[in-house]
Amino acid sequence: EAQVTQNPRYLITVTGKKLTVTCSQNMNHEYMSWYRQDPGLGLRQIYYSMNVEVTDKGDVPEGYKVSRKEKRNFPLILESPSPNQTSLYFCASSGTGGRINQPQHFGDGTRLSIL
Amino acid sequence: AQKITQTQPGMFVQEKEAVTLDCTYDTSDPSYGLFWYKQPSSGEMIFLIYQGSYDQQNATEGRYSLNFQKARKSANLVISASQLGDSAMYFCAMREMDTDKLIFGTGTRLQVFP
């Protein structure tokens, strides 16, 4: 089954404790992206990647890191999490054939709470 | 600057009626794509429909259609014959050819009542 898999689905942690949210897709997609969703703000793009070893900042990259060493994986790293990073996070992927007309396939989301 | 605006925080519609969810956008890129996504209370994001900036006809997918008015920079989603299962949050999004970023609006919460 074609899917984007995020782990963990839920995480409660404390300020300053490094964490990684994993994202994996099995559709051989070139484009992968991370978003955070906050009430009243919709989804905002954190980072995106056009292909292996190519990453770019979205609109809210501060406090986050990403890497794309393999095509299927795109982990999101919070080196020193803070309470303002409490949010619902989505990973998404899409093919680049035709580029802009490719819809994003989303993971089920990771609800992150930082105390 | 790239921007998506959804001015309706919430909408109500009776079952079997049609409803229009508004979306306006701003971009200087002549080549872009517009998307609508549905987010039910369970949280997943479901792709509904796509419209390209060069598409001559309005997109349709089953009960969903997109009223695309390029000169007005609007891409409204029309849901015909609403069903109770249509109750959800709906997001409009845009992707530019130049930047590859995907920008979302703040969403509209649709409630369908019997």
Side-chain angles (χ1 to χ4, degrees):
Chain A
E1 180 191 350
Q3 58 186 6
V4 178
T5 304
Q6 295 178 229
N7 280 297
R9 292 291 313 281
Y10 304 91
L11 179 63
I12 301 173
T13 187
V14 295
T15 299
K17 186 176 181 182
K18 180 179 178 180
L19 67 92
T20 299
V21 186
T22 63
C23 175
S24 180
Q25 52 93 5
N26 62 1
M27 294 168 280
N28 201 35
H29 282 165
E30 292 85 3
Y31 187 99
M32 295 188 75
S33 184
W34 277 102
Y35 302 88
R36 61 178 289 175
Q37 183 179 6
D38 301 290
L41 297 177
L43 280 81
R44 294 177 294 167
Q45 196 169 37
I46 303 170
Y47 270 95
Y48 63 99
S49 170
M50 291 297 294
N51 215 324
V52 176
E53 303 291 3
V54 179
T55 62
D56 271 302
K57 295 178 181 179
D59 288 320
V60 288
E62 293 77 20
Y64 305 95
K65 282 176 59 176
V66 293
S67 68
R68 188 90 182 274
K69 293 184 169 49
E70 304 165 284
K71 197 172 188 180
R72 63 183 293 129
N73 296 324
F74 191 45
L76 179 70
I77 302 156
L78 284 72
E79 294 268 2
S80 183
S82 62
N84 65 10
Q85 292 177 298
T86 292
S87 188
L88 177 60
Y89 290 85
F90 286 100
C91 180
S93 73
S94 66
T96 50
R99 288 178 74 186
I100 57 171
N101 69 346
Q102 299 295 310
Q104 305 268 292
H105 297 258
F106 283 81
D108 288 337
T110 294
R111 191 164 289 282
L112 197 54
S113 292
I114 301 172
L115 307 177
Chain B
Q2 189 186 22
K3 188 177 179 181
I4 293 278
T5 302
Q6 294 181 255
T7 57
Q8 307 154 313
M11 290 283 285
F12 287 90
V13 66
Q14 191 165 28
E15 205 176 3
K16 298 187 178 67
E17 297 293 311
V19 63
T20 298
L21 306 183
D22 294 342
C23 173
T24 58
Y25 60 91
D26 191 19
T27 179
S28 55
D29 192 337
S31 186
Y32 53 89
L34 295 156
F35 302 82
W36 277 91
Y37 287 86
K38 173 184 178 181
Q39 186 179 42
S41 57
S42 49
E44 71 269 29
M45 295 290 288
I46 302 167
F47 164 70
L48 296 178
I49 195 166
Y50 164 81
Q51 180 83 44
S53 58
Y54 294 115
D55 293 344
Q56 296 297 311
Q57 294 191 320
N58 288 342
T60 60
E61 288 286 349
R63 293 186 300 110
Y64 303 110
S65 61
L66 206 152
N67 184 0
F68 181 47
Q69 298 187 46
K70 193 171 180 177
R72 298 180 64 180
K73 293 189 173 179
S74 76
N76 299 338
L77 177 71
V78 180
I79 305 175
S80 63
S82 298
Q83 302 171 356
L84 296 177
D86 293 335
S87 293
M89 195 77 167
Y90 289 81
F91 290 99
C92 180
M94 176 172 66
R95 184 172 175 182
E96 291 177 334
M97 175 68 85
D98 269 354
T99 66
D100 283 310
K101 286 184 181 181
L102 187 66
I103 302 295
F104 282 80
T106 52
T108 296
R109 184 169 298 282
L110 177 67
Q111 300 264 58
V112 181
F113 59 95

